[in-house]
Amino acid sequence: MDTPKLSYVNDSGVEAASAGAFATRAPADAAHYPPSGNTGGKFHTEIDPNTGESFIICTNGNGKPIVYFIPQPVDGVVPYAAITDYFNCTFRFDSADSLSELFQNLFVIFGVKFAPAINRERGLHGYKNSFRLGESSALFAYGGQSGTAFLSLPGEACSLVADWNLVTQYLRDTWQASITRWDGAVDDFDGLHTVDMAVSLYQSGAFNAGGNKPSCNQNGNWIEPDGKGRTFYVGKRKNGKMLRVYEKGMQLGKLWHPWVRWEVELHNTDRIIPWEVLTESGQYFVGSYPKALSWVQEPMMRIKTIKRQAQISYEHLAEVASIAYGALINVMLDVEGSADAVLKKLKRDGIPRRLQHPFVEKQSDFIDPIPQNKFEQS
């Protein structure tokens, strides 16, 4: 199959370089199991008696004990019971390396929606140069930072990835990249596992680690819940591991919607994140808090999440429009004489930001019509 010829441009639209052939770097020599963290040294496994969480402690080549927590999967959990919802990595890269070749390879591996690479004309997180990758929301940066590069895929970009195995093979084996952040998410659309359940699990000690209870925090109205959504946090981002449980449907604007999302966020703070989190997401998601998350079993489907989010957002915006302008439309129908005339006066090009998603080509494929009497006043 011929490799598509792509390019990257700056914000003014000027072509910066033509794309090259697929890179031919040699793969890493190190073995990747257990697990693929590219660390070297010797390993032995420990199990936390309180949480059941397993982790590997490694020593450096000189035998000096250095503790790195390396998350381990839990057997018996469906690998795709969770989805990857955020992914950051870094790898060695300097100006001598070919930007055009790197971008071409990324476009082939991640897909055409990650092309072209658009120069943001500014830095990012201490890097001198940064690029936006197509319409995907992904970012790439390099220059400084000890000769490294930074690749970041937020949730929207992660939803466009068709093959995480291919991503792993390229970034881990070709560039010896290290994961610096990984978020795994599980959606409970029926709300059977609530934020209140997360609080009860916390109070029962299900999140304790090494005999210590992690910190917790809350957002939203917990004294008198108002249907606008609550969030419960376990742990802190700065410590390398945090759980976030929130009322997703309500966050999107639908009062009292049952949809609850559970998210585990891992960082490489005293922790080596194995590449298997991308291909065995469910097992590593549960493995981060085995006692608290043992209920996670059902396979996750990214498209179902996108559809649910689009439907809720659409209905919310339509209801807001009905409340704010429904009476005005009655007057306009009388003044303008027809619905077509009113529509011509009100219609604007584009799609509301809340309904935009790079995965969605046609809105009607993801959103169902609103029932006739959905917004009628009682």
PDB file of all heavy atoms in Angstrom, residues 92-106:
ATOM      1  N   ARG A  92      13.117  11.063  23.288  1.00  0.00           N
ATOM      2  CA  ARG A  92      14.270  11.820  22.850  1.00  0.00           C
ATOM      3  C   ARG A  92      14.045  12.335  21.430  1.00  0.00           C
ATOM      4  O   ARG A  92      13.662  11.589  20.529  1.00  0.00           O
ATOM      5  CB  ARG A  92      15.522  10.947  22.868  1.00  0.00           C
ATOM      6  CG  ARG A  92      15.907  10.402  24.231  1.00  0.00           C
ATOM      7  CD  ARG A  92      16.369  11.470  25.194  1.00  0.00           C
ATOM      8  NE  ARG A  92      17.529  12.215  24.684  1.00  0.00           N
ATOM      9  CZ  ARG A  92      18.089  13.229  25.329  1.00  0.00           C
ATOM     10  NH1 ARG A  92      17.596  13.623  26.496  1.00  0.00           N
ATOM     11  NH2 ARG A  92      19.129  13.852  24.819  1.00  0.00           N
ATOM     12  N   PHE A  93      14.272  13.639  21.244  1.00  0.00           N
ATOM     13  CA  PHE A  93      14.060  14.248  19.930  1.00  0.00           C
ATOM     14  C   PHE A  93      14.755  15.598  19.924  1.00  0.00           C
ATOM     15  O   PHE A  93      14.595  16.383  20.861  1.00  0.00           O
ATOM     16  CB  PHE A  93      12.557  14.425  19.666  1.00  0.00           C
ATOM     17  CG  PHE A  93      12.236  14.935  18.281  1.00  0.00           C
ATOM     18  CD1 PHE A  93      12.046  14.054  17.249  1.00  0.00           C
ATOM     19  CD2 PHE A  93      12.114  16.289  18.032  1.00  0.00           C
ATOM     20  CE1 PHE A  93      11.741  14.505  15.970  1.00  0.00           C
ATOM     21  CE2 PHE A  93      11.816  16.762  16.768  1.00  0.00           C
ATOM     22  CZ  PHE A  93      11.634  15.869  15.727  1.00  0.00           C
ATOM     23  N   ASP A  94      15.525  15.883  18.862  1.00  0.00           N
ATOM     24  CA  ASP A  94      16.152  17.202  18.758  1.00  0.00           C
ATOM     25  C   ASP A  94      16.059  17.682  17.323  1.00  0.00           C
ATOM     26  O   ASP A  94      15.508  17.017  16.442  1.00  0.00           O
ATOM     27  CB  ASP A  94      17.603  17.169  19.242  1.00  0.00           C
ATOM     28  CG  ASP A  94      18.445  16.151  18.511  1.00  0.00           C
ATOM     29  OD1 ASP A  94      18.296  16.056  17.266  1.00  0.00           O
ATOM     30  OD2 ASP A  94      19.244  15.451  19.160  1.00  0.00           O
ATOM     31  N   SER A  95      16.605  18.843  17.070  1.00  0.00           N
ATOM     32  CA  SER A  95      16.435  19.477  15.768  1.00  0.00           C
ATOM     33  C   SER A  95      17.081  18.697  14.641  1.00  0.00           C
ATOM     34  O   SER A  95      16.778  18.923  13.463  1.00  0.00           O
ATOM     35  CB  SER A  95      17.008  20.902  15.816  1.00  0.00           C
ATOM     36  OG  SER A  95      18.369  20.875  16.213  1.00  0.00           O
ATOM     37  N   ALA A  96      17.980  17.766  14.990  1.00  0.00           N
ATOM     38  CA  ALA A  96      18.622  16.952  13.962  1.00  0.00           C
ATOM     39  C   ALA A  96      17.671  15.901  13.404  1.00  0.00           C
ATOM     40  O   ALA A  96      17.872  15.384  12.311  1.00  0.00           O
ATOM     41  CB  ALA A  96      19.869  16.277  14.534  1.00  0.00           C
ATOM     42  N   ASP A  97      16.650  15.567  14.167  1.00  0.00           N
ATOM     43  CA  ASP A  97      15.654  14.600  13.694  1.00  0.00           C
ATOM     44  C   ASP A  97      14.719  15.275  12.701  1.00  0.00           C
ATOM     45  O   ASP A  97      14.478  16.471  12.763  1.00  0.00           O
ATOM     46  CB  ASP A  97      14.861  14.029  14.864  1.00  0.00           C
ATOM     47  CG  ASP A  97      15.705  13.133  15.740  1.00  0.00           C
ATOM     48  OD1 ASP A  97      16.057  12.036  15.303  1.00  0.00           O
ATOM     49  OD2 ASP A  97      16.017  13.567  16.872  1.00  0.00           O
ATOM     50  N   SER A  98      14.173  14.505  11.809  1.00  0.00           N
ATOM     51  CA  SER A  98      13.311  15.044  10.767  1.00  0.00           C
ATOM     52  C   SER A  98      11.884  15.221  11.261  1.00  0.00           C
ATOM     53  O   SER A  98      11.189  14.256  11.553  1.00  0.00           O
ATOM     54  CB  SER A  98      13.320  14.117   9.557  1.00  0.00           C
ATOM     55  OG  SER A  98      12.333  14.497   8.637  1.00  0.00           O
ATOM     56  N   LEU A  99      11.447  16.474  11.299  1.00  0.00           N
ATOM     57  CA  LEU A  99      10.064  16.738  11.694  1.00  0.00           C
ATOM     58  C   LEU A  99       9.092  16.160  10.673  1.00  0.00           C
ATOM     59  O   LEU A  99       8.082  15.551  11.035  1.00  0.00           O
ATOM     60  CB  LEU A  99       9.834  18.241  11.819  1.00  0.00           C
ATOM     61  CG  LEU A  99       9.905  18.890  13.204  1.00  0.00           C
ATOM     62  CD1 LEU A  99       9.567  20.362  13.088  1.00  0.00           C
ATOM     63  CD2 LEU A  99       8.960  18.210  14.174  1.00  0.00           C
ATOM     64  N   SER A 100       9.372  16.367   9.404  1.00  0.00           N
ATOM     65  CA  SER A 100       8.441  15.913   8.376  1.00  0.00           C
ATOM     66  C   SER A 100       8.279  14.398   8.411  1.00  0.00           C
ATOM     67  O   SER A 100       7.178  13.863   8.238  1.00  0.00           O
ATOM     68  CB  SER A 100       8.907  16.364   6.993  1.00  0.00           C
ATOM     69  OG  SER A 100      10.177  15.839   6.698  1.00  0.00           O
ATOM     70  N   GLU A 101       9.382  13.681   8.646  1.00  0.00           N
ATOM     71  CA  GLU A 101       9.310  12.217   8.729  1.00  0.00           C
ATOM     72  C   GLU A 101       8.490  11.783   9.940  1.00  0.00           C
ATOM     73  O   GLU A 101       7.660  10.865   9.851  1.00  0.00           O
ATOM     74  CB  GLU A 101      10.726  11.642   8.805  1.00  0.00           C
ATOM     75  CG  GLU A 101      10.761  10.125   8.850  1.00  0.00           C
ATOM     76  CD  GLU A 101      12.191   9.607   8.913  1.00  0.00           C
ATOM     77  OE1 GLU A 101      12.880   9.637   7.880  1.00  0.00           O
ATOM     78  OE2 GLU A 101      12.610   9.174  10.007  1.00  0.00           O
ATOM     79  N   LEU A 102       8.720  12.434  11.069  1.00  0.00           N
ATOM     80  CA  LEU A 102       7.962  12.101  12.277  1.00  0.00           C
ATOM     81  C   LEU A 102       6.478  12.347  12.066  1.00  0.00           C
ATOM     82  O   LEU A 102       5.635  11.497  12.385  1.00  0.00           O
ATOM     83  CB  LEU A 102       8.474  12.920  13.461  1.00  0.00           C
ATOM     84  CG  LEU A 102       7.655  12.809  14.751  1.00  0.00           C
ATOM     85  CD1 LEU A 102       7.679  11.378  15.292  1.00  0.00           C
ATOM     86  CD2 LEU A 102       8.156  13.786  15.804  1.00  0.00           C
ATOM     87  N   PHE A 103       6.136  13.511  11.514  1.00  0.00           N
ATOM     88  CA  PHE A 103       4.724  13.823  11.313  1.00  0.00           C
ATOM     89  C   PHE A 103       4.082  12.836  10.334  1.00  0.00           C
ATOM     90  O   PHE A 103       2.949  12.395  10.546  1.00  0.00           O
ATOM     91  CB  PHE A 103       4.556  15.254  10.798  1.00  0.00           C
ATOM     92  CG  PHE A 103       4.759  16.309  11.851  1.00  0.00           C
ATOM     93  CD1 PHE A 103       5.373  17.510  11.534  1.00  0.00           C
ATOM     94  CD2 PHE A 103       4.346  16.109  13.156  1.00  0.00           C
ATOM     95  CE1 PHE A 103       5.568  18.484  12.497  1.00  0.00           C
ATOM     96  CE2 PHE A 103       4.534  17.077  14.133  1.00  0.00           C
ATOM     97  CZ  PHE A 103       5.154  18.277  13.798  1.00  0.00           C
ATOM     98  N   GLN A 104       4.793  12.488   9.272  1.00  0.00           N
ATOM     99  CA  GLN A 104       4.239  11.527   8.320  1.00  0.00           C
ATOM    100  C   GLN A 104       3.899  10.211   9.011  1.00  0.00           C
ATOM    101  O   GLN A 104       2.833   9.630   8.793  1.00  0.00           O
ATOM    102  CB  GLN A 104       5.231  11.281   7.190  1.00  0.00           C
ATOM    103  CG  GLN A 104       4.839  10.167   6.235  1.00  0.00           C
ATOM    104  CD  GLN A 104       3.561  10.482   5.472  1.00  0.00           C
ATOM    105  OE1 GLN A 104       3.278  11.650   5.211  1.00  0.00           O
ATOM    106  NE2 GLN A 104       2.793   9.455   5.139  1.00  0.00           N
ATOM    107  N   ASN A 105       4.800   9.749   9.842  1.00  0.00           N
ATOM    108  CA  ASN A 105       4.566   8.492  10.544  1.00  0.00           C
ATOM    109  C   ASN A 105       3.383   8.603  11.497  1.00  0.00           C
ATOM    110  O   ASN A 105       2.565   7.686  11.612  1.00  0.00           O
ATOM    111  CB  ASN A 105       5.826   8.085  11.308  1.00  0.00           C
ATOM    112  CG  ASN A 105       6.980   7.730  10.383  1.00  0.00           C
ATOM    113  OD1 ASN A 105       6.766   7.400   9.223  1.00  0.00           O
ATOM    114  ND2 ASN A 105       8.197   7.805  10.890  1.00  0.00           N
ATOM    115  N   LEU A 106       3.288   9.712  12.204  1.00  0.00           N
ATOM    116  CA  LEU A 106       2.162   9.913  13.113  1.00  0.00           C
ATOM    117  C   LEU A 106       0.842   9.948  12.360  1.00  0.00           C
ATOM    118  O   LEU A 106      -0.167   9.395  12.818  1.00  0.00           O
ATOM    119  CB  LEU A 106       2.347  11.212  13.910  1.00  0.00           C
ATOM    120  CG  LEU A 106       3.498  11.233  14.925  1.00  0.00           C
ATOM    121  CD1 LEU A 106       3.584  12.600  15.600  1.00  0.00           C
ATOM    122  CD2 LEU A 106       3.324  10.147  15.982  1.00  0.00           C
TER     123      LEU A 106
END
